[in-house]
Amino acid sequence: VLLAALVVPFLVDRLMTRLIGPKKLTWRIEKEFEGVSEEALWELLVRVDKWEKDHPVRQSCELEVEEKGQDCPVGKGSVVTYYRKTSDVEDTDDAIKENGYKVVEGGKVVFCKIRCTEYKDAPGSRQVVWETFEGGLGYPWVAQTEKKELCVSASG
């Protein structure tokens, strides 16, 4: 009876996930920044091709723009790969072998790959949408369930 009480919820959850699929989470944050130009904020948050080595994201992982976008390197259609710094992960070799994660040249391990699906870079109204289509070692969400949208506009 105790075993059934533990196993039944697990089986119901697995069945629901297979039938319905994983839940997509949507959330929104609005923040006003004063004393920062719209262009500088856009470059800091979106233009991964211009990020210096001291950028917070670049300190935690390596990244590469694999496919350039239509209007700019990170525009619509671009693909950016984030690589896990393997020195930060214990038992990396075992996790890679056990889960079949992708290792690329140079021993880098893919953390996630994102594709830009919308990109508008017009002063006063900038917008970008990224969708994660591949997850790797340490990636916390199911691939293809994460979608990020960022809008930067002049306040006034």
Side-chain angles (χ1 to χ4, degrees):
V1 174
L2 180 61
L3 182 60
L6 295 173
V7 173
V8 169
F10 174 76
L11 293 175
V12 169
D13 180 61
R14 294 288 289 178
L15 181 63
M16 293 297 288
T17 302
R18 284 185 186 244
L19 292 175
I20 299 172
K23 181 176 169 94
K24 295 187 180 192
L25 178 65
T26 304
W27 53 276
R28 178 184 177 128
I29 295 176
E30 289 187 33
K31 173 75 175 149
E32 283 189 33
F33 294 93
E34 294 188 23
V36 179
S37 74
E38 181 185 57
E39 179 65 33
L41 189 59
W42 186 251
E43 285 193 14
L44 177 70
L45 298 174
V46 176
R47 293 298 306 265
V48 298
D49 57 318
K50 293 188 175 187
W51 289 352
E52 300 292 331
K53 291 189 185 286
D54 63 344
H55 189 283
V57 174
R58 299 229 24 204
Q59 290 179 2
S60 64
C61 67
E62 295 178 40
L63 57 93
E64 179 181 327
V65 178
E66 287 189 7
E67 296 176 25
K68 305 245 186 262
Q70 294 172 353
D71 301 322
C72 101
V74 292
K76 186 173 182 178
S78 65
V79 172
V80 179
T81 301
Y82 291 82
Y83 297 103
R84 186 72 184 223
K85 288 192 173 182
T86 54
S87 60
D88 297 341
V89 182
E90 292 182 22
D91 301 323
T92 303
D93 292 338
D94 292 338
I96 292 168
K97 290 174 190 169
E98 191 174 300
N99 296 297
Y101 292 123
K102 192 179 290 185
V103 179
V104 297
E105 190 175 321
K108 297 187 286 187
V109 179
V110 173
F111 176 66
C112 72
K113 286 188 174 198
I114 63 172
R115 177 177 291 113
C116 179
T117 58
E118 294 178 40
Y119 186 85
K120 184 170 106 178
D121 187 4
S125 179
R126 301 169 193 256
Q127 175 187 18
V128 65
V129 176
W130 295 287
E131 293 182 2
T132 304
F133 67 93
E134 183 179 318
L137 180 63
Y139 189 72
W141 298 280
V142 175
Q144 300 179 355
T145 63
E146 183 186 25
K147 180 178 179 179
K148 298 177 281 277
E149 180 176 356
L150 176 68
C151 301
V152 176
S153 59
S155 60

